[in-house]
């Protein structure tokens, strides 16, 4: 069996080390020399485009924004995130989670807020002083630096340590075949109940507004609590997606599975099921983005071209397509209308309110103090109904929106904000460092899992990492209380189907 070379800075390029991992013995290996030449050819325009050209175009836009400390800090943050995203795209190692995180930071915390500062308009009003916006931008910069520090520390630590006396070591988690078939049955049953509870498949191709009204009329939503609807949607969507991802990986990596009619038929049925419950019409754009990204990286796990293409085109899609992809979204109320002659108008009038909401949250915390873990505890215990826990915290975005006096309180609360509310600047920096460490470790393990030397078609990490990468947009956008439900259901499903194989440890010579 081939081995994976691990240096002090992480695993070697998995595609180069294991050329057959990309699809089979007939596929020619990727040529490192060719990629090096291509990398040199695209690196300069890519870096110039993300770090220099796009910020310069935004800075030249007409608007009423002032060039104060907030302006310059936002410009630094945009260029810093652009440089880090460029390194993720150009790296010979596929850093899946880190790449997606930096793509979010560049778009939602860099380019969009910079356009808002230049034009002088924001999607959500800022109720506090300008200094709170300066503090928010500075804290995001500190969090990004802490994230990089955590990732650097993770790259210095070996993936696995064995004691000299250990004869066996626990292998990576793999899907237990009978339990996987059981998951598929559960997915069909739970999704069928979800569809029947809402009145049939037709409602899933209408609008999100009609879905919400149907769920409210179904009796699963109690006054002041959305736990019932969260479980109904979560179990109706997440098991179906996970089952599809596992069967997709089996078909993508196993010739025998592709020759087995029953496996192919189950995959077709799961694909049809997901077209109903996880389609882009009746679901939020962030959730459909999770479904799409998880499927792409599961079907093509070792393709360096796909990884780089997703990160590179994701920026264009987020700035051009994403703001207009809300055709089936229910009406927004409570946001002030904004008009602008700039081509970057969608960035100041639509979705990207993360930075201004961080500033508003700082103002809110100044009036009441930090919560010291209360908000995160409420997110972790999302499944407890308010009828049982009368003092259960609300979404951070909702609480800040109510304090601001807005009618529409479906506002974002980026991860930096959640950490700030509970623990302040020190806790936020420490939390981002831990996230950077965990993301880098997961990226290295994922890179090993999708190679030929990995655990094979049943690898749980090969499914979990792409799912988390897609869901990262929801986690980073926040609030965490809204995002915790589906993540917990996914973790529960993965735990139930996982098993661990013992591997004989190699003797040290």
């Amino acid at each position: 069996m081939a081995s994976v070379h691990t240096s002090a800075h992480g695993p070697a390029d998995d595609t180069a080390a294991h050329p057959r991992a990309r699809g089979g013995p007939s596929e020619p290996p990727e040529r490192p020399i060719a990629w090096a030449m291509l990398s040199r050819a695209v690196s300069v325009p890519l870096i110039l485009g993300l770090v220099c050209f796009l910020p310069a175009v935004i800075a030249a836009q007409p608007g009423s924004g002032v060039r104060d400390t907030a302006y310059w800090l936002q410009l630094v943050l945009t260029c810093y995130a652009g440089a880090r995203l460029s390194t993720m795209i150009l790296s010979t190692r596929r850093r899946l989670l880190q790449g997606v995180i930096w793509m979010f930071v560049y778009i939602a915390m860099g380019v969009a807020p910079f356009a808002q500062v230049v034009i002088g308009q924001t999607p959500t009003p800022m109720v506090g002083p300008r200094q709170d916006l300066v503090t928010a931008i500075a804290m995001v910069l500190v969090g990004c630096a802490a994230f990089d520090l955590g990732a650097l520390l993770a790259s210095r630590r070996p993936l696995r340590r064995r004691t000299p006396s250990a004869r066996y070591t626990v292998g990576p988690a793999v899907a237990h075949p009978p339990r996987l078939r059981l998951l598929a049955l559960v997915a069909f049953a739970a999704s069928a109940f979800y569809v029947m509870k809402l009145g049939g498949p037709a409602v899933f191709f209408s609008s999100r507004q009609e879905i919400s009204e149907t769920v409210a009329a179904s009796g699963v939503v109690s006054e002041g609590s959305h736990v019932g609807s969260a479980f109904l949607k979560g179990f109706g969507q997440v098991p179906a997606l996970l089952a599809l991802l596992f069967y997709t990986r089996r078909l993508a990596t196993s010739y025998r599975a592709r020759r087995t009619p029953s496996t192919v038929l189950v995959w077709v049925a799961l694909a049809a099921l997901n077209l109903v419950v996880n389609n882009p019409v009746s679901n939020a754009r962030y959730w459909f983005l999770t479904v799409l990204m998880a499927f792409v990286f599961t079907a093509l796990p070792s393709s360096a071209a796909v990884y780089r293409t997703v990160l590179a085109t994701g920026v264009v899609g987020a700035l051009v397509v994403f703001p207009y992809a809300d055709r089936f979204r229910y009406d927004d109320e409570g946001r002030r209308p904004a008009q602008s002659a700039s081509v970057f108008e969608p960035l100041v009038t639509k979705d990207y309110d993360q930075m201004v909401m961080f500033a508003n949250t700082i103002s809110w915390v100044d009036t009441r103090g930090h919560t010291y873990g209360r908000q995160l505890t409420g997110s972790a215990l999302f499944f407890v109904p308010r009828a049982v826990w009368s003092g259960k915290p609300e979404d951070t975005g909702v609480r800040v929106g109510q304090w601001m006096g807005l009618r529409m309180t479906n506002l974002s609360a980026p991860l930096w904000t959640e950490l700030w509310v509970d623990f302040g600047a020190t806790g936020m920096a420490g939390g981002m460092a831990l996230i950077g460490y965990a993301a880098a470790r997961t990226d290295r393990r994922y890179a090993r899992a999708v190679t030929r030397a990995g655990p094979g078609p049943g690898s749980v990490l090969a499914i979990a990492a792409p799912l988390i990468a897609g869901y990262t947009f929801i986690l980073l956008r926040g609030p965490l209380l809204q995002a915790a439900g589906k993540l917990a259901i996914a973790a529960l499903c993965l735990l139930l189907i996982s098993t661990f194989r013992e591997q004989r440890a190699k003797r040290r010579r």
Side-chain angles (χ1 to χ4, degrees), residues 374-397:
R374 179 176 173 78
Q375 287 298 114
L376 291 180
T377 301
S379 300
L381 300 178
F382 71 96
F383 52 87
V384 179
R386 296 190 184 276
V388 178
W389 184 5
S390 59
K392 181 179 178 180
E394 293 182 285
D395 293 325
T396 302

Side-chain angles (χ1 to χ4, degrees), residues 62-249:
S64 59
V66 294
R67 302 200 172 190
D68 56 357
T69 305
Y71 173 93
W72 295 110
L73 279 176
Q74 190 63 65
L75 178 60
V76 171
L77 174 58
T78 303
C79 295
Y80 176 38
R84 296 297 292 125
L85 178 59
S86 299
T87 61
M88 295 294 111
I89 298 174
L90 297 171
S91 174
T92 56
R93 304 186 182 101
R94 292 178 298 282
R95 298 179 173 94
L96 184 59
L97 294 182
Q98 296 174 80
V100 172
I101 289 172
W102 280 114
M103 182 167 64
F104 178 89
V105 173
Y106 181 68
I107 297 166
M109 312 302 286
V111 170
F114 185 51
Q116 295 164 14
V117 170
V118 170
I119 297 174
Q121 296 174 350
T122 56
T124 303
M126 190 175 71
V127 298
R130 182 78 169 181
Q131 182 59 38
D132 286 347
L133 179 62
V134 174
T135 302
I137 301 171
M139 288 299 99
V140 172
L141 267 170
V142 171
C144 290
F147 178 89
D148 271 341
L149 177 61
L152 178 63
L153 294 176
S155 69
R156 302 289 179 177
R157 186 171 180 268
L159 286 179
R160 181 180 298 172
R161 293 180 178 177
R162 296 192 184 102
T163 59
S165 59
R167 297 183 58 188
Y168 292 92
T169 182
V170 177
V174 295
H176 192 266
R179 297 179 197 168
L180 179 58
R181 290 190 287 269
L182 179 61
L183 175 64
L185 293 176
V186 170
F188 284 116
S191 296
F193 178 78
Y194 178 42
V195 172
M196 292 174 59
K197 193 71 174 177
L198 269 62
V203 71
F204 289 87
F205 298 94
S206 54
S207 67
R208 288 174 56 191
Q209 179 68 44
E210 187 168 347
I211 286 285
S212 299
E213 294 174 353
T214 306
V215 171
S218 64
V220 299
V221 179
S222 60
E223 184 177 357
S225 178
H226 297 278
V227 173
S229 63
F231 275 109
L232 178 64
K233 291 182 178 180
F235 281 103
Q237 296 175 311
V238 175
L241 175 59
L242 281 175
L244 176 64
L245 296 179
F246 273 105
Y247 274 86
T248 298
R249 175 163 173 79

